[in-house]
Amino acid sequence: MFSYIWPLALVVLANTFYQICAKSIPDALDPFASLTVTYLVGALVSFVIYCVMNKSADLLREYGKLNWAPFILGISVVGLEVGFIFAYKAGWPVSTAQIAQSSVLAIILIFVGYFLYNEALTWNKLVGIIVCLGGLTLINLK
């Protein structure tokens, strides 16, 4: 059970700090300049953890196993990060920006799962879409 829960707990904890940090980027700082530091730190932390977790670390051998996904993931992560930074600079509240994007993302991923991964499209998921849309409406009411 722990191996099932800890990854999501880590995502929630990391995402909490992520949102706080994205909201705290100074307005005068170019978001892309900020991301250069972010990714240098991320690369260093990833390298250290890789070396600690793999006693016979051979990063070049690992790189030989790469496919297209890490490259597109890198582009996607830049889009995520800069999107949130610009959203916060535009005035989105930290309390609703994440919820709004997560609701829309949940709806999109239901269809991605169905069309790309043959996941079931159940009545529960369709009702979930309606709930997400209702929630988006409610949090954006002024």
Side-chain angles (χ1 to χ4, degrees):
M1 183 67 143
F2 177 75
S3 64
Y4 189 73
I5 293 174
W6 85 262
L8 287 184
L10 177 60
V11 168
V12 168
L13 179 66
N15 205 341
T16 300
F17 283 102
Y18 170 90
Q19 297 302 328
I20 292 168
C21 292
K23 179 84 170 163
S24 300
I25 299 292
D27 285 340
L29 177 62
D30 183 282
F32 294 102
S34 171
L35 289 180
T36 62
V37 174
T38 299
Y39 292 126
L40 286 171
V41 170
L44 179 63
V45 169
S46 296
F47 178 73
V48 169
I49 292 172
Y50 171 78
C51 290
V52 168
M53 300 292 289
N54 297 284
K55 301 304 178 205
S56 59
D58 186 352
L59 199 53
L60 293 178
R61 185 181 73 221
E62 290 300 317
Y63 287 162
K65 301 173 188 175
L66 289 171
N67 68 358
W68 60 271
F71 299 98
I72 302 303
L73 183 60
I75 294 168
S76 300
V77 169
V78 171
L80 280 170
E81 310 244 9
V82 79
F84 271 115
I85 293 169
F86 278 121
Y88 291 137
K89 285 181 181 236
W92 272 88
V94 73
S95 61
T96 56
Q98 174 70 15
I99 295 169
Q101 75 81 31
S102 290
S103 296
V104 173
L105 178 64
I107 294 167
I108 292 169
L109 289 180
I110 286 172
F111 292 105
V112 167
Y114 178 76
F115 289 112
L116 293 182
Y117 300 105
N118 298 315
E119 295 174 359
L121 186 58
T122 64
W123 284 107
N124 288 348
K125 290 179 183 176
L126 294 173
V127 170
I129 290 171
I130 294 166
V131 170
C132 285
L133 292 172
L136 280 173
T137 303
L138 289 174
I139 66 168
N140 285 302
L141 289 177
K142 301 222 176 192

